Amino acid sequence: MDRFVPLGNEALAQGALDAGVSGLYAYPGTPSTEIMEYVQRSAEAAERGVHRRWSANEKTAVEAALGMSYAGKRAMACMKHVGLNVAADPFMNAAVIGVNGGLLIVAADDPSMHSSQNEQDSRMYGRFAMIPTLEPSDQQEAYDAARIGFALSEKYNVPVLVRMTTRLSHSRANVTRRDSRPENDLNVPAHLRQFVLLPGVARVRYAQLIEKQPCFEQEAEESPLVRYMDGPDKSLGIIACGLAHNYLMENFPDGCPHPVLKISQYPVPRRLIERLVEACDDVLVLEEGMPVVEEQMRGFPYDDGRVHGRLDGTLPRAGELNPALVAQALGREAPTLFLVPDVVTDRPPQLCQGCPHADTYRALNAALEPYSKGRVFSDIGCYTLGALPPFESINTCVEMGASITMAKGAADAGLTPTVAVIGDSTFSHSGMTGLLDAVQAHAPVTVIILDNETTAMTGGQDSPAHGVLEQIVGGLGVPEAHVRVIEPLPRQHEANAAVIAEELAYADVSVIVARRECLETARRRKRGQA
């Protein structure tokens, strides 16, 4: 055994390696990205031949991990919380179909939306799919969660969800490593029809999943990730879920005087909750994200007013928790936090100096001058910053892949021309099917693929469309004459604006690839070559 000081994401990744994982599948997205990056840098993973390449999107990541599980190996699929929406189809069906080798599905939630378009709680997905869910409260538990999760997965033949949150993912602490476990041998399922979800098989498998629910709850009652800690002051009992336990203990460095139930494994340990409720006058529920546990305790329409948390305003309904908010809920003076030095000042987000997207937006704005405002549909990536001054070029940003289909819908409504702006990685993630819809409908949509040859927003990961965008677009049915490539540079401004204007006048689908390498990845590449 040895000790190291990893990020929470890195602890989980090393825990998976030490637990014998054979394959890691992921799509980059803050705050989950470092899990895959750690395994990609790992010399141990390279020596063992652990699979560790980025997937086209979260759905394909879960499906590939499920395939590795089918073959008897331990596998892990990682994504940010909104990625689990993309992967919801295989995720829900994997709960019914089961697994062969251990399967962990990791969703990193982003409460307070530091870099996300919404705030959602992946524990809801765990309840929805009726599978065990782990929510580490610190880096050591993040490391241990991989081993515990794989063991649970193989014991009950179900996938296990691991929920991380931003502060845990991106903070460091000491972790003690356990002995390494060898990878599983190649081994197909004993029941070969298990993975065939014909209705007759699915009904049997679903009934088996329901029968396992009491076992999952018993596992949580006895889990090392769940602890009941008694205290002398029974005026209040505290349920602290996941990272919220750290915020509680920062308020009581010498020990909490109240009974505390720490929960880092679900379904909720009902008997332990009943013990706490019976022992204490009131109960405060601390949980990061949505009031998942608090809602289960309140029992609509009856509520005796003893349970407090996000639903009654004791804590804010939205956003991250922190030690100060927990102190306020406890009626205590807030602990001293680090003050922000004067040298750190707020500034609005903006494109990097010299970013190729800036030159594309200038050309697009020039080409759109003859038309009314409000006809540019965007996607998610660095280029979303084109909504802000000085560009103010885009009018929408909803979810990955929505730009082309929203532009098509607006064209269907009679708004012509319309423009879809999408990045090269996002296009391969979920833009291709939207383009196929537009091609089939001969929709008057001009698609601009901002090809900076990387997935820039999350740090420069590979994109599966790199080097083959024109072939993909052509294969989806866009005529060769209307697949145009421009180089977004200031000296090309007039020519680029003219190309965009020509395609805006074309009454069918056209695609313009605006290609220039991201400055940040270019700098890193050159430093690597030096």
Side-chain angles (χ1 to χ4, degrees):
M1 298 185 194
D2 59 351
R3 295 174 67 84
F4 67 133
V5 189
L7 298 174
N9 281 346
E10 295 171 342
L12 177 62
Q14 185 61 54
L17 287 172
D18 290 346
V21 73
S22 296
L24 194 73
Y25 301 85
Y27 185 79
T30 306
S32 70
T33 308
E34 295 83 3
I35 304 171
M36 172 64 93
E37 290 183 334
Y38 181 87
V39 178
Q40 287 181 331
R41 293 194 305 269
S42 167
E44 175 191 347
E47 183 179 350
R48 281 170 35 187
V50 173
H51 177 91
R52 54 194 190 285
R53 294 188 63 179
W54 296 106
S55 301
N57 61 38
E58 296 85 354
K59 179 176 182 288
T60 64
V62 170
E63 290 163 344
L66 186 60
M68 179 167 277
S69 165
Y70 172 94
K73 300 280 190 176
R74 290 185 165 186
M76 190 157 81
C78 307
M79 61 211 72
K80 67 180 297 176
H81 61 296
V82 290
L84 193 50
N85 302 336
V86 178
D89 200 3
F91 174 78
M92 295 299 296
N93 288 334
V96 176
I97 207 167
V99 305
N100 189 25
L103 175 61
L104 298 187
I105 298 172
V106 181
D109 291 357
D110 186 20
S112 286
M113 295 176 272
H114 295 285
S115 58
S116 305
Q117 61 269 45
N118 74 21
E119 182 175 300
Q120 63 187 53
D121 193 321
S122 295
R123 293 178 298 170
M124 293 284 198
Y125 266 113
R127 289 194 71 203
F128 191 17
M130 297 190 294
I131 60 173
T133 299
L134 309 182
E135 185 190 15
S137 65
D138 57 31
Q139 286 73 9
Q140 183 67 57
E141 284 193 353
Y143 173 85
D144 292 333
R147 186 175 301 251
I148 293 170
F150 279 128
L152 267 176
S153 177
E154 292 178 351
K155 181 177 181 180
Y156 292 102
N157 191 221
V158 293
V160 170
L161 177 66
V162 180
R163 183 213 189 199
M164 302 287 284
T165 51
T166 304
R167 298 290 167 182
L168 176 59
S169 292
H170 290 167
S171 58
R172 294 183 184 275
N174 281 318
V175 166
T176 300
R177 290 181 60 181
R178 319 292 183 191
D179 293 333
S180 294
R181 177 193 181 279
E183 295 181 30
N184 289 354
D185 294 331
L186 200 62
N187 168 38
V188 298
H191 305 291
L192 289 176
R193 294 184 65 184
Q194 170 189 333
F195 281 74
V196 185
L197 275 187
L198 289 166
V201 177
R203 291 188 195 104
V204 172
R205 297 291 308 175
Y206 186 59
Q208 292 173 346
L209 179 63
I210 291 172
E211 288 174 0
K212 291 173 184 173
Q213 298 307 304
C215 300
F216 296 162
E217 188 174 319
Q218 185 63 36
E219 290 284 352
E221 299 272 359
E222 300 171 356
S223 171
L225 300 176
V226 175
R227 293 197 303 273
Y228 187 103
M229 294 158 279
D230 206 359
D233 186 350
K234 303 292 196 297
S235 62
L236 184 68
I238 301 170
I239 295 176
C241 303
L243 188 63
H245 182 255
N246 276 353
Y247 298 148
L248 173 66
M249 299 316 296
E250 285 193 42
N251 278 279
F252 296 111
D254 298 324
C256 182
H258 304 288
V260 176
L261 174 58
K262 172 190 167 300
I263 299 178
S264 293
Q265 182 169 327
Y266 305 85
V268 292
R270 190 164 28 182
R271 284 190 289 275
L272 291 175
I273 289 178
E274 289 172 355
R275 176 182 170 189
L276 186 80
V277 171
E278 290 172 2
C280 301
D281 298 336
D282 286 292
V283 175
L284 174 64
V285 184
L286 306 174
E287 47 191 333
E288 190 81 291
M290 296 178 175
V292 175
V293 173
E294 188 182 349
E295 281 188 340
Q296 292 179 72
M297 292 179 65
R298 280 176 169 261
F300 176 84
Y302 305 105
D303 186 355
D304 64 5
R306 297 173 59 208
V307 179
H308 309 284
R310 289 187 183 269
L311 290 176
D312 70 348
T314 303
L315 290 161
R317 181 63 181 82
E320 282 187 300
L321 294 183
N322 59 47
L325 289 172
V326 172
Q328 186 177 3
L330 292 165
R332 294 171 57 86
E333 185 177 345
T336 302
L337 303 176
F338 291 109
L339 299 176
V340 177
D342 294 337
V343 69
V344 179
T345 57
D346 291 335
R347 66 173 178 84
Q350 58 186 356
L351 294 173
C352 302
Q353 290 294 320
C355 173
H357 300 336
D359 293 307
T360 302
Y361 281 138
R362 291 189 187 98
L364 174 61
N365 286 350
L368 281 170
E369 281 183 0
Y371 303 97
S372 60
K373 299 286 186 184
R375 49 184 76 235
V376 181
F377 299 83
S378 180
D379 237 294
I380 294 173
C382 302
Y383 45 91
T384 307
L385 297 171
L388 303 176
F391 308 106
E392 299 182 276
S393 300
I394 67 169
N395 307 111
T396 71
C397 172
V398 178
E399 38 97 356
M400 295 283 277
S403 60
I404 300 175
T405 36
M406 285 187 70
K408 176 186 177 297
D412 292 343
L415 182 67
T416 59
T418 59
V419 180
V421 176
I422 189 168
D424 52 327
S425 182
T426 311
F427 178 71
S428 62
H429 176 283
S430 50
M432 293 189 290
T433 47
L435 181 60
L436 185 59
D437 274 355
V439 168
Q440 289 297 310
H442 296 283
V445 173
T446 301
V447 178
I448 300 178
I449 302 178
L450 298 164
D451 181 11
N452 58 7
E453 302 181 337
T454 189
T455 312
M457 195 171 196
T458 48
Q461 294 78 26
D462 297 335
S463 164
H466 179 60
V468 291
L469 273 176
E470 291 94 306
Q471 293 93 317
I472 293 173
V473 169
L476 290 171
V478 181
E480 184 176 354
H482 293 282
V483 180
R484 313 284 292 272
V485 179
I486 63 174
E487 186 179 19
L489 284 168
R491 65 173 181 271
Q492 299 286 353
H493 175 76
E494 298 296 334
N496 291 344
V499 168
I500 296 172
E502 289 172 16
E503 297 308 327
L504 289 175
Y506 176 57
D508 207 319
V509 179
S510 59
V511 173
I512 298 169
V513 179
R515 177 173 294 138
R516 183 156 67 90
E517 185 178 8
C518 168
L519 289 178
E520 291 300 317
T521 58
R523 289 191 185 105
R524 286 199 293 270
R525 179 173 51 78
K526 288 174 182 174
R527 282 199 298 267
Q529 290 173 349

